[in-house]
Amino acid sequence: MRLFDRWRASAGTTTPSSSTPRRTVAEVHDTDDAALDDVVRAHLERLTAAAENSPDTLGPREFEAALTSRLVAQRDLPPGDRRYQYVTPFAPHVAEVLTLDLPMAVVTLPQERVAVGQRSFSALVSIGRQNLERTLRTAEVEVRAVGDRRSACRTVVGDSPYTGSFARFLSEAAARFLPGADTGNGVVFAVPDRHALVLSPCTTAPVTAAALEHVPAQARLLFDTGSGPVSPHVYHWYHRRLTCLTTEEPDGSLSLTTTPVLDTVLGATRRPGARVG
């Protein structure tokens, strides 16, 4: 039984109390019960149709317009699952998949759907990444400063389920969310949730030290409390090369280790590879 039919079945025998004001769509539209029934049924019909929209019903142009690259937790893609053999690794614990950004849902494409059609896999990936980059440029987000005002650590939170995936274009993300920041020594970042990105440049020793303190803490917080967790791990992006800075301990906690580049920025007070958290 579809959504609007379930509503009809449950609503047909309900009688409101005479002592309770009846607040319905009819009050807004000034219509009778029969018209109300038609209005609600039509509205729920549209919602149900959108929610049940299958990728196979999309035309080529609609398909390519909706195709969007997305970062997901590697743990959500079990090894050997033939549905996602095409998946591209992004970083340790995080993978890149192709999705369809539909009005009522984000649909991750299985292997068979990616293989069907006239476009090659590389062409589909290119289209998906272009659409993600376009979303990065236009999405409405809230950028929050973390720590001391002199620290450039930022959390980026948005309604778009692709907000965390903006890490796929970290140079462009830094230009938008860390305007004017010097990223010559790289960026410390995390993708804790599909709706959140945490990042900080490594400009000076104090800013880098703050990044190694605040980014892991914010990543853990947003991973634990977000609606779409991806990964609590923390990474260093340097000249388009990613290094995972965190290791999971037997008790489930994460320890954090620096890299030679970060040690150089931090100065002689740090030993190469020293644990900092």
Side-chain angles (χ1 to χ4, degrees):
M1 184 180 294
R2 300 176 70 182
L3 175 60
F4 59 88
D5 289 320
R6 288 200 298 270
W7 169 83
R8 183 71 179 115
S10 63
T13 58
T14 301
T15 302
S17 169
S18 60
S19 61
T20 303
R22 185 180 182 183
R23 299 175 59 87
T24 68
V25 179
E27 294 178 355
V28 178
H29 293 281
D30 192 23
T31 185
D32 56 22
D33 289 342
L36 170 62
D37 181 74
D38 292 339
V39 169
V40 175
R41 178 181 288 272
H43 177 64
L44 294 179
E45 175 96 47
R46 288 193 297 270
L47 292 181
T48 303
E52 295 175 353
N53 193 14
S54 168
D56 295 329
T57 67
L58 300 177
R61 291 185 179 179
E62 295 172 314
F63 180 87
E64 292 182 8
L67 188 65
T68 309
S69 173
R70 187 182 188 186
L71 299 183
V72 299
Q74 185 68 56
R75 67 180 182 280
D76 293 339
L77 304 170
D81 191 332
R82 295 184 178 181
R83 295 175 300 170
Y84 303 110
Q85 290 179 333
Y86 75 89
V87 169
T88 304
F90 170 71
H93 315 291
V94 180
E96 180 182 11
V97 300
L98 291 175
T99 68
L100 290 179
D101 186 14
L102 301 176
M104 297 295 291
V106 172
V107 179
T108 301
L109 294 181
Q111 177 79 24
E112 60 269 20
R113 188 62 184 85
V114 173
V116 173
Q118 299 179 347
R119 293 280 193 176
S120 66
F121 171 67
S122 60
L124 292 178
V125 171
S126 178
I127 293 170
R129 289 175 178 173
Q130 289 173 12
N131 288 338
L132 174 62
E133 189 174 12
R134 186 177 300 111
T135 302
L136 163 60
R137 294 195 301 266
T138 60
E140 294 185 5
V141 297
E142 180 182 356
V143 182
R144 307 167 184 168
V146 179
D148 189 277
R149 287 183 176 271
R150 292 171 295 180
S151 169
C153 184
R154 299 291 186 271
T155 63
V156 181
V157 180
D159 290 334
S160 170
Y162 294 96
T163 305
S165 299
F166 295 161
R168 178 64 185 76
F169 298 100
L170 203 61
S171 179
E172 292 81 355
R176 178 179 177 187
F177 306 126
L178 300 171
D182 180 1
T183 59
N185 294 321
V187 175
V188 175
F189 77 97
V191 188
D193 188 83
R194 62 191 177 193
H195 294 282
L197 172 66
V198 186
L199 68 169
S200 177
C202 305
T203 53
T204 64
V207 170
T208 301
L212 294 176
E213 174 185 357
H214 295 305
V215 174
Q218 290 298 307
R220 171 55 70 179
L221 174 65
L222 293 168
F223 177 79
D224 289 340
T225 61
S227 60
V230 178
S231 174
H233 287 275
V234 177
Y235 305 89
H236 180 221
W237 174 84
Y238 180 70
H239 290 186
R240 298 190 179 277
R241 180 178 180 180
L242 299 182
T243 302
C244 186
L245 301 179
T246 46
T247 303
E248 186 172 358
E249 300 296 335
D251 63 358
S253 63
L254 296 180
S255 59
L256 190 146
T257 307
T258 60
T259 66
V261 172
L262 293 176
D263 288 330
T264 299
V265 177
L266 290 168
T269 58
R270 297 284 186 186
R271 292 179 292 104
R275 297 289 175 107
V276 296

